[in-house]
Amino acid sequence: MPSFALHPQLLVDCHVLGRLPATHLLLHRNGAVPWFILVPETDLANLLDLPTAHRDAVLADCTRVSDALRTLGYPKINVAWIGNLVPQLHIHVIGRRPGDACWPRPVWGHLEARRDWTESEIAALRAAILGE
C-alpha cells in the first residue's frame, strides 16, 4: 500500500487529534455536538471488508471513543460509516443527548447550529480519549 494520507475533505472538516491503536482520531470542527471521525489505514472502502482482526481493532477504537463520550455525559452514541462524499473508509462516532443541537433527529441534514471548539475543549477531548 502506498503511504497513507487522510482524505483532503477530512482535513478541511476536522481537527486531527492523534492516533488510537487502529485509527487516526479526528474531531469534526462543528462543536455543536461531539462528533469524532476514526480513520483506519486501509485502501478498503467498507468496514465489513476489513480482515477480522483489523475490523475488531477498529471497533475497539470506536468503543474507546464511545466510552469516553458516555463518561462526558452523552448517554446515546451514534455510530455510522457512510462514505458517500468521502470515499476513504471512516467511522463517525457522535455523542448525543436530549436537548443537543438537533435532538432527536440525526445530525446529517439537521445540524444547523454551528460553533467552534476552543483550544481547551479540544485538549480536554484529546485527553479524555487518548489519555494525554
Side-chain angles (χ1 to χ4, degrees), residues 27-28 30-35 74 94-96 100-102 107 111 117:
L27 175 64
H28 197 285
N30 186 348
V33 295
W35 183 338
Y74 295 89
I94 307 163
R96 303 295 309 277
D100 74 24
C102 56
V107 294
L111 187 59
W117 293 103

Side-chain angles (χ1 to χ4, degrees), residues 26-45:
L26 311 178
L27 175 64
H28 197 285
R29 289 188 186 280
N30 186 348
V33 295
W35 183 338
F36 294 91
I37 297 175
L38 288 74
V39 185
E41 290 189 17
T42 182
D43 289 333
L44 297 173

Side-chain angles (χ1 to χ4, degrees), residues 49-92:
D49 292 339
L50 290 175
T52 301
H54 192 183
R55 183 179 63 236
D56 289 350
V58 169
L59 291 174
D61 285 357
C62 292
T63 300
R64 182 174 175 170
V65 173
S66 175
D67 290 347
L69 285 167
R70 280 196 185 94
T71 299
L72 294 170
Y74 295 89
K76 178 68 178 156
I77 310 300
N78 293 168
V79 178
W81 53 92
I82 302 169
N84 295 341
L85 296 176
V86 174
Q88 183 176 49
L89 176 59
H90 61 286
I91 300 98
H92 302 263

Side-chain angles (χ1 to χ4, degrees), residues 12-29:
V12 168
D13 292 345
C14 301
H15 298 281
V16 178
L17 299 186
R19 287 293 312 263
L20 290 166
T23 59
H24 294 262
L25 178 64
L26 311 178
L27 175 64
H28 197 285
R29 289 188 186 280

